[in-house]
Structures are given as structure tokens and as C-alpha cells.
Amino acid sequence: MYLSAETLTQRLTWPAMIDALRTIFTTDVHSPVRHHHFMDVPDEPQATLLLMPAWIEGQYLGVKQVSVFPGNNAKGLPGLTSLYTLSSGTTGETLAQMDGNIITARRTAAASALASSYLSRSDTRSMLMVGAGRMGHFLVPAHMSVRAIETVWIWDRNEDMAQAFAKELVAQGIDAHACVQADLPRIAGEVDLISCATMAKEPVIQGRWLRPGTHVDLVGSFTPTMREVDNQAMQAADVFVDTRAGALAETGDLIIPIKEGAFSEDDICAELTELCGAEHKGRAQLADPDKAITLFKSVGDSREDLAAAILAYNAS
């Protein structure tokens, strides 16, 4: 069985995907650290193979294979190709293969929405989407599935992309607007929720812009040199992560402020397993729930891929 991107989009609805993640983070899942392998390509940049396994004993085994070939851009080909294989946890036989790109995009956005359900204010009505690229198109509807968001602002370094994305949302009946660079500090200081999905290596969002009660969702930084918020934002916020091990090893949003002495790994309030398992009650547990600035940083986890694959397979 092969599940295409179209089929996965139909089966991985936001409510079902969010519930699947909530369950997987309270399930005994084996999820080893992802494997990185580097491959030389003749006369082209070095390629990377990523393998992300996860399994539930006696039930399911899943592996996501991601191939990154930077030289493909010059050929007009996608630089990243991903395939997910779901197998039986009792016999090892292959049950299904799936489009790994859609698995990744939808589980990533669903994880942000899941975190928001614990960390953003229940009366959240406005959001700023920082980044008008592919992930932004998943994050906006995911966040709207858990909060009654009425107004969406879109910012991107490429103002044409921000305008185009805003028009797409307006066509769907959403009150959406493009945010120009000059207005970014003001809009960031007015909205209830900020979601970031950029390739930035310098902070895009400044802590001094954030007003009390804001929730910040960081998706973009996945290497130690990338970051989307400054040290002041990290210090002002109650910080949560998808997994401590992954976030502390991979994202500059944590690595850089820790290295500079502005933040400590002990400052992390909780990870998704603790939120989903009610070991930490999220915003409700903070000293001043109405005024607290919350921040969620995700780097991705193989458990999320496995949850999406099982959901899609069982919906067949």
C-alpha cells in the first residue's frame, strides 16, 4: 500500500492528528536518536541521508528516510525527498509506504497546535505567521483548529510572498493581512499568538516587542546556528519544548542563549510528554496565567511521524 500526499492530507485531519500526538506522547515508544549519514556526490555538494526510526513493541515499527541533495536546486529538482515505511511490530512485514514530506509537515504543525492547546490563552483571537513558505501554510490552519482565531497577519522577508499568502487566506474567508517590515514590531506586540517558520540565522522576533499573555511558537530553527527570537524573548518567556534532548542538541534558539549565559537548560518548564501526561498543566500552572509569555520550541521527533503513519494506515 502506498499512501500519496493527497490521501494523507484527507486522512490526517487536524483534530485527529492532534489527538494522535497527544496519545503517542503518553505511550511507551522507542525512538532512537536520528541517524545522519553523509554521501559525496560527484561534482556536486555533499548529500545527507537521515533515518528516523520509532516503534511500539508488538504493534508498529516505522522509519522515515529523508534524502537531502542540495545540488538538486540547480537542476530544478526538490532538494529534499522523504519516504515513510510502516511495518508490523510483530512480524516486520511492510504494511504501507507513505509520502514522507506530508507526514512531516502535518505532524510538525499538529505538534505546534497541540502545544498551543496547553500554552496559549483560551481567548486567543489573533495570530502573526512569521514566514510565508510551505510550513506557514500548514501552521495557520493547525493553530486555527485549536483556537478561535479571527485575524491572521502574515510576515515574510519577501513581501510579495506575504501578500500572496494573505490573499489565499482571504479567499478561504479568513480575515488575513500582509505585515510589512516597518509594522512587524507593532503587530508582534498586538497579536495573541506568534508562529515562526523561517530559515533565519538572526532573530526575527525581539523580546521587547512581546506583550504579556502572548504565546510564541518556534518551528524554523533546526541547526545550532539558526534562531528566530533573541535572548530577551527567551528570558521573558516560560519556555516549553517538544523534547529536551532534541531541542538542546539541535536548535540555536536554545544553544546560542545558553552559550551566552542568557538561558539555562534548567529554565525549560516542560516537554510534550509532561504536558500530555498532565505532569505539567501548561499555562494554567504558571504564576500569572493571564500575563505570562509562553514559548514552545519544536525540532521534531520520530514519535510524531509514527503517530501520523499509524493514523493514516488505520483510516484505510
Side-chain angles (χ1 to χ4, degrees), residues 258-279:
I258 288 175
K259 184 178 180 180
E260 295 178 352
F263 189 78
S264 165
E265 61 181 84
D266 294 332
D267 294 329
I268 296 173
C269 297
E271 60 182 13
L272 279 180
T273 54
E274 295 162 296
L275 290 171
C276 294
E279 297 173 47

Side-chain angles (χ1 to χ4, degrees), residues 51-167:
L51 299 175
M52 298 175 64
W55 63 90
I56 302 173
E57 291 183 353
Q59 297 185 40
Y60 296 101
L61 161 66
V63 179
K64 185 167 72 174
Q65 174 183 316
V66 182
S67 302
V68 183
F69 281 69
N72 281 1
N73 294 331
K75 304 173 186 176
L77 298 173
L80 184 148
T81 303
S82 180
L83 177 70
Y84 198 89
T85 302
L86 183 69
S87 303
S88 166
T90 56
T91 66
E93 64 180 323
T94 300
L95 301 175
Q97 290 188 313
M98 312 178 190
D99 183 300
N101 291 349
I102 290 295
I103 290 277
T104 301
R106 294 193 76 84
R107 63 82 155 156
T108 298
S112 287
L114 172 63
S116 177
S117 72
Y118 295 109
L119 302 177
S120 66
R121 298 193 327 270
S122 60
D123 63 349
T124 292
R125 296 293 181 269
S126 60
M127 75 173 285
L128 166 64
M129 184 67 238
V130 178
R134 184 170 183 269
M135 268 312 304
H137 288 70
F138 290 93
L139 284 161
V140 170
H143 278 296
M144 293 185 73
S145 75
V146 296
R147 293 290 182 248
I149 294 171
E150 299 169 351
T151 303
V152 179
W153 289 91
I154 308 293
W155 178 90
D156 195 275
R157 294 187 189 280
N158 183 324
E159 292 187 7
D160 290 340
M161 288 182 62
Q163 290 281 0
F165 188 10
K167 287 180 180 179

Side-chain angles (χ1 to χ4, degrees), residues 244-265:
R244 284 185 175 85
L248 289 168
E250 296 183 22
T251 175
D253 277 317
L254 290 179
I255 292 171
I256 295 172
I258 288 175
K259 184 178 180 180
E260 295 178 352
F263 189 78
S264 165
E265 61 181 84

Side-chain angles (χ1 to χ4, degrees), residues 20 112 161 177 202 208 210 233 266-267 287 316:
S112 287
M161 288 182 62
H177 311 270
E202 296 295 333
R208 59 190 172 87
L210 304 176
D266 294 332
D267 294 329
S316 59

